[in-house]
Amino acid sequence: RLAEVTDAGRALADETLVVRFDREDAEMHAAMSRLADLRVVWGGQEAVEAVRDLPRSWDTEDLILGPRLSLAVVDPSLARDRALSRLVTDIVYFDQQACSSPQQLYVKGALGEPKFEDFVARFSQEFERQARAIRRHPLDFGETYQVQRDRVRVLFDGGRVEHDGGTQWTVAVLPRPRLDIHGVNRFIQVIPFSRLEEIHAFIPENAQTVVTLLDPEDTAQFTEAAALPGACRFPRPAERNAFERPWER
């Protein structure tokens, strides 16, 4: 397909060879690593470490695109049914195992405040609906244990947990985020905020996408400050996988 675009594309295609082999073929991985001048590695920590441990030439360069985290920041007064549904899809679709799938959700308001609690109730209902409708892999023992352990951590921290009868989905409401909670397999932390500045201290250095549902003034204020720790994309709900624009507001 590249060759059909332009003459330059044809020249590039003529110089490109694509080789595929089984991910479990350790001998082939090692052979390719020894031949490489440059290794480009992307994925979670386990994938990155597996490639970095392969034998290589002393002058081979590594370009690491490691695990990234994503957040969402929402003003519940703007969360109409359609926007809420799209926000939930952003979280559910990839089981939070993609760099654009939020692990933490910051909601403007206060614990116990009617507007905040109404949003959490609506969000949990839609979260449950989509978790049932969108199929995902069966959790193994380790993943199931992780979900149950993190639920207990939330309760010990004074938070509360909304969840199904098993481990299909979890909405954990906390006064502040817990960094020791993995936030995968449809386990979302919901944290209230009153001022946008409160969120900045919790934005990790490996933040990638921050889904934003704020009014224009708050969006401008928040994105300017949130970009400093390293967040690089600020799409609206349902636009988290539109990568055409480098800076989204």
Side-chain angles (χ1 to χ4, degrees), residues 135-190:
R135 297 176 61 86
R136 65 98 169 279
H137 72 284
L139 299 189
D140 62 25
F141 174 81
E143 291 171 314
T144 300
Y145 173 77
Q146 183 182 84
V147 169
Q148 298 287 25
R149 179 193 61 192
D150 287 344
R151 287 176 177 176
V152 172
R153 283 176 169 170
V154 172
L155 295 174
F156 280 168
D157 201 28
R160 74 174 192 267
V161 178
E162 309 284 346
H163 60 83
D164 67 314
T167 52
Q168 291 300 305
W169 63 273
T170 306
V171 175
V173 183
L174 289 157
R176 67 191 64 80
R178 284 197 59 145
L179 301 181
D180 57 352
I181 290 178
H182 288 73
V184 295
N185 291 318
R186 302 175 180 179
F187 193 118
I188 184 75
Q189 296 187 61
V190 179

Short mmCIF file of all heavy atoms in Angstrom, two decimals, residues 135-190:
data_model
loop_
_atom_site.label_atom_id
_atom_site.label_comp_id
_atom_site.label_asym_id
_atom_site.label_seq_id
_atom_site.Cartn_x
_atom_site.Cartn_y
_atom_site.Cartn_z
N ARG A 135 -17.65 -7.71 25.27
CA ARG A 135 -16.98 -8.93 25.74
C ARG A 135 -15.50 -8.67 25.98
O ARG A 135 -14.88 -7.84 25.32
CB ARG A 135 -17.14 -10.05 24.71
CG ARG A 135 -18.59 -10.47 24.49
CD ARG A 135 -18.69 -11.51 23.40
NE ARG A 135 -17.98 -12.71 23.73
CZ ARG A 135 -18.50 -13.72 24.44
NH1 ARG A 135 -19.73 -13.63 24.90
NH2 ARG A 135 -17.79 -14.81 24.71
N ARG A 136 -14.95 -9.40 26.93
CA ARG A 136 -13.52 -9.30 27.20
C ARG A 136 -12.99 -10.66 27.63
O ARG A 136 -13.75 -11.60 27.84
CB ARG A 136 -13.24 -8.24 28.25
CG ARG A 136 -13.81 -8.51 29.64
CD ARG A 136 -12.74 -9.10 30.53
NE ARG A 136 -13.11 -9.15 31.93
CZ ARG A 136 -13.03 -8.10 32.75
NH1 ARG A 136 -12.65 -6.94 32.32
NH2 ARG A 136 -13.35 -8.24 34.02
N HIS A 137 -11.68 -10.78 27.77
CA HIS A 137 -11.08 -12.06 28.10
C HIS A 137 -11.46 -12.48 29.52
O HIS A 137 -11.66 -11.63 30.39
CB HIS A 137 -9.56 -11.96 27.98
CG HIS A 137 -8.93 -11.15 29.08
ND1 HIS A 137 -8.97 -9.77 29.12
CD2 HIS A 137 -8.25 -11.54 30.19
CE1 HIS A 137 -8.35 -9.34 30.20
NE2 HIS A 137 -7.90 -10.38 30.87
N PRO A 138 -11.58 -13.79 29.78
CA PRO A 138 -11.82 -14.26 31.15
C PRO A 138 -10.60 -13.96 32.02
O PRO A 138 -9.46 -14.18 31.61
CB PRO A 138 -12.02 -15.77 30.99
CG PRO A 138 -12.30 -15.98 29.53
CD PRO A 138 -11.57 -14.90 28.81
N LEU A 139 -10.83 -13.43 33.21
CA LEU A 139 -9.70 -13.11 34.08
C LEU A 139 -9.09 -14.38 34.65
O LEU A 139 -9.80 -15.31 35.05
CB LEU A 139 -10.17 -12.22 35.24
CG LEU A 139 -10.77 -10.85 34.87
CD1 LEU A 139 -10.98 -10.01 36.13
CD2 LEU A 139 -9.91 -10.11 33.87
N ASP A 140 -7.75 -14.43 34.69
CA ASP A 140 -7.10 -15.57 35.31
C ASP A 140 -7.04 -15.36 36.82
O ASP A 140 -7.52 -14.35 37.34
CB ASP A 140 -5.71 -15.80 34.70
CG ASP A 140 -4.76 -14.62 34.91
OD1 ASP A 140 -4.95 -13.84 35.88
OD2 ASP A 140 -3.84 -14.45 34.10
N PHE A 141 -6.43 -16.29 37.54
CA PHE A 141 -6.40 -16.20 39.00
C PHE A 141 -5.70 -14.94 39.46
O PHE A 141 -6.18 -14.25 40.38
CB PHE A 141 -5.70 -17.44 39.58
CG PHE A 141 -5.51 -17.35 41.07
CD1 PHE A 141 -6.55 -17.67 41.94
CD2 PHE A 141 -4.30 -16.93 41.61
CE1 PHE A 141 -6.39 -17.57 43.32
CE2 PHE A 141 -4.13 -16.83 42.99
CZ PHE A 141 -5.17 -17.15 43.84
N GLY A 142 -4.56 -14.62 38.85
CA GLY A 142 -3.81 -13.44 39.27
C GLY A 142 -4.60 -12.16 39.07
O GLY A 142 -4.58 -11.26 39.92
N GLU A 143 -5.28 -12.04 37.94
CA GLU A 143 -6.07 -10.84 37.67
C GLU A 143 -7.25 -10.73 38.62
O GLU A 143 -7.57 -9.63 39.11
CB GLU A 143 -6.55 -10.86 36.22
CG GLU A 143 -5.44 -10.70 35.20
CD GLU A 143 -5.92 -10.95 33.78
OE1 GLU A 143 -6.63 -11.95 33.56
OE2 GLU A 143 -5.58 -10.14 32.90
N THR A 144 -7.89 -11.87 38.90
CA THR A 144 -9.02 -11.87 39.83
C THR A 144 -8.57 -11.46 41.22
O THR A 144 -9.21 -10.65 41.90
CB THR A 144 -9.67 -13.27 39.88
OG1 THR A 144 -10.13 -13.61 38.57
CG2 THR A 144 -10.85 -13.28 40.84
N TYR A 145 -7.44 -12.01 41.66
CA TYR A 145 -6.89 -11.66 42.97
C TYR A 145 -6.57 -10.17 43.04
O TYR A 145 -6.83 -9.51 44.05
CB TYR A 145 -5.63 -12.48 43.24
CG TYR A 145 -4.89 -12.08 44.50
CD1 TYR A 145 -5.36 -12.45 45.75
CD2 TYR A 145 -3.74 -11.30 44.41
CE1 TYR A 145 -4.69 -12.07 46.90
CE2 TYR A 145 -3.07 -10.90 45.55
CZ TYR A 145 -3.55 -11.29 46.79
OH TYR A 145 -2.88 -10.90 47.93
N GLN A 146 -6.00 -9.63 41.96
CA GLN A 146 -5.64 -8.21 41.93
C GLN A 146 -6.87 -7.32 42.10
O GLN A 146 -6.85 -6.35 42.85
CB GLN A 146 -4.92 -7.88 40.62
CG GLN A 146 -4.45 -6.45 40.51
CD GLN A 146 -3.79 -6.20 39.17
OE1 GLN A 146 -4.44 -5.93 38.18
NE2 GLN A 146 -2.47 -6.32 39.15
N VAL A 147 -7.96 -7.66 41.41
CA VAL A 147 -9.19 -6.88 41.52
C VAL A 147 -9.71 -6.91 42.96
O VAL A 147 -10.04 -5.87 43.55
CB VAL A 147 -10.26 -7.39 40.54
CG1 VAL A 147 -11.62 -6.76 40.85
CG2 VAL A 147 -9.85 -7.10 39.11
N GLN A 148 -9.78 -8.10 43.55
CA GLN A 148 -10.30 -8.22 44.91
C GLN A 148 -9.39 -7.51 45.92
O GLN A 148 -9.86 -6.86 46.86
CB GLN A 148 -10.44 -9.70 45.28
CG GLN A 148 -11.42 -10.47 44.43
CD GLN A 148 -12.88 -10.12 44.74
OE1 GLN A 148 -13.20 -9.04 45.23
NE2 GLN A 148 -13.77 -11.05 44.44
N ARG A 149 -8.09 -7.64 45.72
CA ARG A 149 -7.14 -6.97 46.63
C ARG A 149 -7.30 -5.46 46.56
O ARG A 149 -7.31 -4.77 47.59
CB ARG A 149 -5.71 -7.36 46.26
CG ARG A 149 -4.63 -6.71 47.12
CD ARG A 149 -3.27 -6.90 46.50
NE ARG A 149 -3.22 -6.29 45.19
CZ ARG A 149 -2.22 -6.49 44.32
NH1 ARG A 149 -1.23 -7.31 44.64
NH2 ARG A 149 -2.21 -5.91 43.15
N ASP A 150 -7.45 -4.92 45.34
CA ASP A 150 -7.57 -3.48 45.19
C ASP A 150 -8.90 -2.97 45.75
O ASP A 150 -8.97 -1.85 46.27
CB ASP A 150 -7.41 -3.08 43.73
CG ASP A 150 -5.97 -3.21 43.24
OD1 ASP A 150 -5.07 -3.30 44.10
OD2 ASP A 150 -5.75 -3.21 42.02
N ARG A 151 -9.94 -3.77 45.66
CA ARG A 151 -11.20 -3.38 46.28
C ARG A 151 -11.03 -3.23 47.79
O ARG A 151 -11.53 -2.27 48.40
CB ARG A 151 -12.29 -4.41 45.98
CG ARG A 151 -12.80 -4.39 44.54
CD ARG A 151 -13.79 -5.52 44.30
NE ARG A 151 -14.35 -5.49 42.95
CZ ARG A 151 -15.18 -6.40 42.45
NH1 ARG A 151 -15.54 -7.43 43.22
NH2 ARG A 151 -15.64 -6.29 41.22
N VAL A 152 -10.31 -4.17 48.41
CA VAL A 152 -10.08 -4.10 49.85
C VAL A 152 -9.22 -2.89 50.20
O VAL A 152 -9.47 -2.21 51.20
CB VAL A 152 -9.40 -5.40 50.34
CG1 VAL A 152 -8.97 -5.28 51.79
CG2 VAL A 152 -10.35 -6.59 50.17
N ARG A 153 -8.24 -2.58 49.39
CA ARG A 153 -7.41 -1.41 49.63
C ARG A 153 -8.24 -0.13 49.65
O ARG A 153 -8.03 0.75 50.48
CB ARG A 153 -6.33 -1.31 48.55
CG ARG A 153 -5.17 -2.26 48.72
CD ARG A 153 -4.20 -2.18 47.57
NE ARG A 153 -2.98 -2.91 47.85
CZ ARG A 153 -2.03 -3.17 46.94
NH1 ARG A 153 -2.21 -2.77 45.69
NH2 ARG A 153 -0.94 -3.83 47.28
N VAL A 154 -9.19 -0.04 48.75
CA VAL A 154 -10.06 1.13 48.70
C VAL A 154 -10.88 1.24 49.98
O VAL A 154 -10.99 2.31 50.59
CB VAL A 154 -11.00 1.06 47.48
CG1 VAL A 154 -12.05 2.17 47.54
CG2 VAL A 154 -10.20 1.17 46.18
N LEU A 155 -11.44 0.13 50.42
CA LEU A 155 -12.26 0.14 51.63
C LEU A 155 -11.42 0.49 52.86
O LEU A 155 -11.87 1.25 53.73
CB LEU A 155 -12.93 -1.22 51.81
CG LEU A 155 -13.94 -1.60 50.72
CD1 LEU A 155 -14.44 -3.04 50.93
CD2 LEU A 155 -15.12 -0.63 50.70
N PHE A 156 -10.22 -0.03 52.96
CA PHE A 156 -9.34 0.28 54.08
C PHE A 156 -8.91 1.75 54.07
O PHE A 156 -8.56 2.30 55.11
CB PHE A 156 -8.10 -0.61 54.06
CG PHE A 156 -8.33 -1.99 54.62
CD1 PHE A 156 -7.39 -2.99 54.44
CD2 PHE A 156 -9.48 -2.30 55.31
CE1 PHE A 156 -7.60 -4.27 54.95
CE2 PHE A 156 -9.71 -3.56 55.83
CZ PHE A 156 -8.78 -4.55 55.65
N ASP A 157 -8.95 2.36 52.90
CA ASP A 157 -8.55 3.76 52.76
C ASP A 157 -9.73 4.70 53.01
O ASP A 157 -9.61 5.91 52.82
CB ASP A 157 -7.97 4.00 51.37
CG ASP A 157 -7.09 5.24 51.31
OD1 ASP A 157 -6.50 5.60 52.35
OD2 ASP A 157 -7.00 5.86 50.23
N GLY A 158 -10.88 4.16 53.39
CA GLY A 158 -12.04 4.99 53.67
C GLY A 158 -12.88 5.29 52.45
O GLY A 158 -13.81 6.10 52.53
N GLY A 159 -12.60 4.63 51.34
CA GLY A 159 -13.39 4.83 50.13
C GLY A 159 -14.56 3.85 50.08
O GLY A 159 -14.80 3.09 51.01
N ARG A 160 -15.26 3.90 48.99
CA ARG A 160 -16.36 2.94 48.78
C ARG A 160 -16.24 2.34 47.39
O ARG A 160 -15.60 2.92 46.51
CB ARG A 160 -17.71 3.60 48.98
CG ARG A 160 -18.19 4.51 47.89
CD ARG A 160 -19.62 4.99 48.16
NE ARG A 160 -20.23 5.64 47.03
CZ ARG A 160 -20.20 6.95 46.81
NH1 ARG A 160 -19.59 7.75 47.67
NH2 ARG A 160 -20.78 7.46 45.74
N VAL A 161 -16.87 1.19 47.23
CA VAL A 161 -16.71 0.44 45.98
C VAL A 161 -18.08 0.04 45.45
O VAL A 161 -18.90 -0.52 46.18
CB VAL A 161 -15.85 -0.82 46.20
CG1 VAL A 161 -15.75 -1.62 44.92
CG2 VAL A 161 -14.48 -0.46 46.72
N GLU A 162 -18.32 0.36 44.19
CA GLU A 162 -19.49 -0.15 43.46
C GLU A 162 -18.96 -1.23 42.51
O GLU A 162 -17.96 -1.01 41.81
CB GLU A 162 -20.15 0.96 42.66
CG GLU A 162 -20.48 2.24 43.45
CD GLU A 162 -21.68 2.07 44.33
OE1 GLU A 162 -22.42 1.08 44.13
OE2 GLU A 162 -21.89 2.92 45.22
N HIS A 163 -19.63 -2.40 42.48
CA HIS A 163 -19.12 -3.46 41.63
C HIS A 163 -20.20 -4.50 41.38
O HIS A 163 -21.26 -4.49 42.02
CB HIS A 163 -17.89 -4.12 42.26
CG HIS A 163 -18.14 -4.74 43.60
ND1 HIS A 163 -18.65 -6.00 43.76
CD2 HIS A 163 -17.93 -4.25 44.85
CE1 HIS A 163 -18.76 -6.29 45.05
NE2 HIS A 163 -18.33 -5.23 45.74
N ASP A 164 -19.92 -5.40 40.45
CA ASP A 164 -20.85 -6.49 40.15
C ASP A 164 -20.65 -7.62 41.14
O ASP A 164 -19.83 -7.51 42.08
CB ASP A 164 -20.62 -6.98 38.72
CG ASP A 164 -19.26 -7.65 38.57
OD1 ASP A 164 -18.26 -7.08 39.06
OD2 ASP A 164 -19.19 -8.72 37.98
N GLY A 165 -21.35 -8.72 40.96
CA GLY A 165 -21.24 -9.85 41.86
C GLY A 165 -19.94 -10.62 41.71
O GLY A 165 -19.60 -11.44 42.56
N GLY A 166 -19.21 -10.36 40.63
CA GLY A 166 -17.93 -11.02 40.41
C GLY A 166 -16.82 -9.99 40.29
O GLY A 166 -16.67 -9.12 41.15
N THR A 167 -16.06 -10.08 39.20
CA THR A 167 -14.95 -9.13 39.00
C THR A 167 -15.02 -8.53 37.59
O THR A 167 -13.99 -8.26 36.97
CB THR A 167 -13.59 -9.83 39.21
OG1 THR A 167 -13.54 -11.02 38.41
CG2 THR A 167 -13.38 -10.19 40.66
N GLN A 168 -16.22 -8.31 37.09
CA GLN A 168 -16.38 -7.78 35.74
C GLN A 168 -16.15 -6.27 35.68
O GLN A 168 -15.65 -5.75 34.69
CB GLN A 168 -17.77 -8.10 35.21
CG GLN A 168 -18.00 -9.57 34.93
CD GLN A 168 -17.03 -10.12 33.89
OE1 GLN A 168 -16.94 -9.58 32.79
NE2 GLN A 168 -16.31 -11.16 34.24
N TRP A 169 -16.51 -5.55 36.74
CA TRP A 169 -16.31 -4.10 36.74
C TRP A 169 -16.27 -3.58 38.17
O TRP A 169 -16.87 -4.18 39.08
CB TRP A 169 -17.42 -3.38 35.96
CG TRP A 169 -18.80 -3.56 36.55
CD1 TRP A 169 -19.68 -4.58 36.31
CD2 TRP A 169 -19.45 -2.69 37.50
NE1 TRP A 169 -20.82 -4.41 37.04
CE2 TRP A 169 -20.73 -3.26 37.77
CE3 TRP A 169 -19.10 -1.50 38.12
CZ2 TRP A 169 -21.63 -2.67 38.66
CZ3 TRP A 169 -19.99 -0.90 39.00
CH2 TRP A 169 -21.26 -1.48 39.25
N THR A 170 -15.53 -2.49 38.37
CA THR A 170 -15.38 -1.90 39.70
C THR A 170 -15.28 -0.39 39.57
O THR A 170 -14.45 0.12 38.79
CB THR A 170 -14.12 -2.42 40.41
OG1 THR A 170 -14.13 -3.85 40.43
CG2 THR A 170 -14.04 -1.88 41.83
N VAL A 171 -16.11 0.33 40.32
CA VAL A 171 -16.00 1.78 40.43
C VAL A 171 -15.62 2.08 41.88
O VAL A 171 -16.40 1.84 42.80
CB VAL A 171 -17.33 2.48 40.07
CG1 VAL A 171 -17.22 3.98 40.31
CG2 VAL A 171 -17.72 2.20 38.63
N ALA A 172 -14.40 2.57 42.07
CA ALA A 172 -13.89 2.87 43.41
C ALA A 172 -13.90 4.38 43.62
O ALA A 172 -13.25 5.12 42.88
CB ALA A 172 -12.47 2.33 43.56
N VAL A 173 -14.65 4.84 44.62
CA VAL A 173 -14.76 6.27 44.91
C VAL A 173 -13.84 6.58 46.09
O VAL A 173 -14.02 6.05 47.19
CB VAL A 173 -16.21 6.66 45.24
CG1 VAL A 173 -16.31 8.17 45.47
CG2 VAL A 173 -17.14 6.24 44.11
N LEU A 174 -12.86 7.44 45.85
CA LEU A 174 -11.83 7.75 46.83
C LEU A 174 -11.63 9.26 46.97
O LEU A 174 -11.82 10.00 46.00
CB LEU A 174 -10.50 7.13 46.41
CG LEU A 174 -10.36 5.62 46.50
CD1 LEU A 174 -9.28 5.13 45.54
CD2 LEU A 174 -10.01 5.22 47.92
N PRO A 175 -11.22 9.73 48.15
CA PRO A 175 -10.94 11.16 48.29
C PRO A 175 -9.68 11.60 47.55
O PRO A 175 -9.52 12.77 47.22
CB PRO A 175 -10.79 11.35 49.80
CG PRO A 175 -10.42 10.00 50.31
CD PRO A 175 -11.09 9.01 49.42
N ARG A 176 -8.78 10.64 47.29
CA ARG A 176 -7.54 10.91 46.56
C ARG A 176 -7.12 9.62 45.85
O ARG A 176 -7.46 8.52 46.32
CB ARG A 176 -6.43 11.39 47.51
CG ARG A 176 -5.97 10.35 48.48
CD ARG A 176 -5.08 10.92 49.55
NE ARG A 176 -5.81 11.86 50.36
CZ ARG A 176 -6.64 11.51 51.35
NH1 ARG A 176 -6.86 10.22 51.60
NH2 ARG A 176 -7.27 12.40 52.05
N PRO A 177 -6.38 9.71 44.76
CA PRO A 177 -6.01 8.48 44.04
C PRO A 177 -5.00 7.65 44.82
O PRO A 177 -4.18 8.19 45.57
CB PRO A 177 -5.41 9.00 42.73
CG PRO A 177 -4.89 10.36 43.09
CD PRO A 177 -5.86 10.91 44.08
N ARG A 178 -5.06 6.34 44.63
CA ARG A 178 -4.06 5.44 45.20
C ARG A 178 -3.18 4.94 44.07
O ARG A 178 -3.65 4.33 43.10
CB ARG A 178 -4.74 4.27 45.90
CG ARG A 178 -5.33 4.63 47.24
CD ARG A 178 -5.60 3.39 48.07
NE ARG A 178 -4.40 2.61 48.32
CZ ARG A 178 -4.17 1.94 49.46
NH1 ARG A 178 -5.04 2.00 50.44
NH2 ARG A 178 -3.07 1.23 49.61
N LEU A 179 -1.88 5.19 44.20
CA LEU A 179 -0.94 4.82 43.15
C LEU A 179 -0.65 3.32 43.14
O LEU A 179 -0.09 2.81 42.17
CB LEU A 179 0.36 5.61 43.31
CG LEU A 179 0.20 7.14 43.25
CD1 LEU A 179 1.56 7.80 43.39
CD2 LEU A 179 -0.47 7.57 41.96
N ASP A 180 -1.00 2.61 44.23
CA ASP A 180 -0.73 1.17 44.27
C ASP A 180 -1.88 0.36 43.70
O ASP A 180 -1.85 -0.87 43.74
CB ASP A 180 -0.43 0.73 45.70
CG ASP A 180 -1.56 1.06 46.68
OD1 ASP A 180 -2.50 1.77 46.29
OD2 ASP A 180 -1.48 0.61 47.84
N ILE A 181 -2.89 1.02 43.15
CA ILE A 181 -3.99 0.34 42.47
C ILE A 181 -3.71 0.35 40.98
O ILE A 181 -3.47 1.42 40.40
CB ILE A 181 -5.34 1.00 42.80
CG1 ILE A 181 -5.70 0.73 44.26
CG2 ILE A 181 -6.43 0.49 41.87
CD1 ILE A 181 -6.99 1.37 44.70
N HIS A 182 -3.72 -0.81 40.35
CA HIS A 182 -3.27 -0.92 38.97
C HIS A 182 -4.21 -0.25 37.98
O HIS A 182 -3.78 0.28 36.97
CB HIS A 182 -3.08 -2.40 38.60
CG HIS A 182 -1.89 -3.02 39.24
ND1 HIS A 182 -1.85 -3.34 40.58
CD2 HIS A 182 -0.68 -3.37 38.74
CE1 HIS A 182 -0.66 -3.86 40.87
NE2 HIS A 182 0.06 -3.90 39.78
N GLY A 183 -5.51 -0.30 38.24
CA GLY A 183 -6.44 0.35 37.31
C GLY A 183 -6.50 -0.31 35.95
O GLY A 183 -6.41 0.36 34.93
N VAL A 184 -6.65 -1.63 35.94
CA VAL A 184 -6.85 -2.36 34.69
C VAL A 184 -8.04 -3.30 34.90
O VAL A 184 -8.56 -3.44 36.00
CB VAL A 184 -5.61 -3.18 34.27
CG1 VAL A 184 -4.45 -2.25 33.95
CG2 VAL A 184 -5.20 -4.17 35.37
N ASN A 185 -8.47 -3.92 33.81
CA ASN A 185 -9.59 -4.86 33.87
C ASN A 185 -10.86 -4.21 34.42
O ASN A 185 -11.57 -4.77 35.26
CB ASN A 185 -9.21 -6.11 34.69
CG ASN A 185 -8.18 -6.95 33.99
OD1 ASN A 185 -8.26 -7.15 32.78
ND2 ASN A 185 -7.19 -7.44 34.73
N ARG A 186 -11.11 -2.98 33.93
CA ARG A 186 -12.35 -2.27 34.24
C ARG A 186 -12.47 -1.94 35.72
O ARG A 186 -13.50 -2.11 36.35
CB ARG A 186 -13.56 -3.06 33.73
CG ARG A 186 -13.47 -3.29 32.22
CD ARG A 186 -14.56 -4.18 31.67
NE ARG A 186 -14.37 -4.33 30.22
CZ ARG A 186 -15.15 -5.06 29.43
NH1 ARG A 186 -16.20 -5.69 29.94
NH2 ARG A 186 -14.90 -5.15 28.15
N PHE A 187 -11.37 -1.45 36.26
CA PHE A 187 -11.30 -0.97 37.65
C PHE A 187 -10.94 0.52 37.57
O PHE A 187 -9.80 0.88 37.30
CB PHE A 187 -10.24 -1.74 38.42
CG PHE A 187 -10.29 -1.55 39.92
CD1 PHE A 187 -10.53 -2.63 40.74
CD2 PHE A 187 -10.08 -0.31 40.50
CE1 PHE A 187 -10.57 -2.48 42.13
CE2 PHE A 187 -10.13 -0.14 41.86
CZ PHE A 187 -10.37 -1.23 42.69
N ILE A 188 -11.90 1.38 37.82
CA ILE A 188 -11.69 2.82 37.67
C ILE A 188 -11.77 3.51 39.01
O ILE A 188 -12.66 3.23 39.82
CB ILE A 188 -12.73 3.43 36.69
CG1 ILE A 188 -12.46 4.92 36.46
CG2 ILE A 188 -14.15 3.20 37.17
CD1 ILE A 188 -11.30 5.20 35.57
N GLN A 189 -10.81 4.37 39.30
CA GLN A 189 -10.85 5.20 40.49
C GLN A 189 -11.57 6.51 40.16
O GLN A 189 -11.23 7.17 39.17
CB GLN A 189 -9.44 5.53 40.97
CG GLN A 189 -8.64 4.33 41.43
CD GLN A 189 -7.32 4.75 42.05
OE1 GLN A 189 -7.27 5.46 43.05
NE2 GLN A 189 -6.23 4.31 41.44
N VAL A 190 -12.54 6.90 40.98
CA VAL A 190 -13.27 8.15 40.81
C VAL A 190 -12.90 9.06 41.97
O VAL A 190 -13.12 8.71 43.14
CB VAL A 190 -14.78 7.91 40.77
CG1 VAL A 190 -15.53 9.23 40.63
CG2 VAL A 190 -15.15 6.97 39.62
#
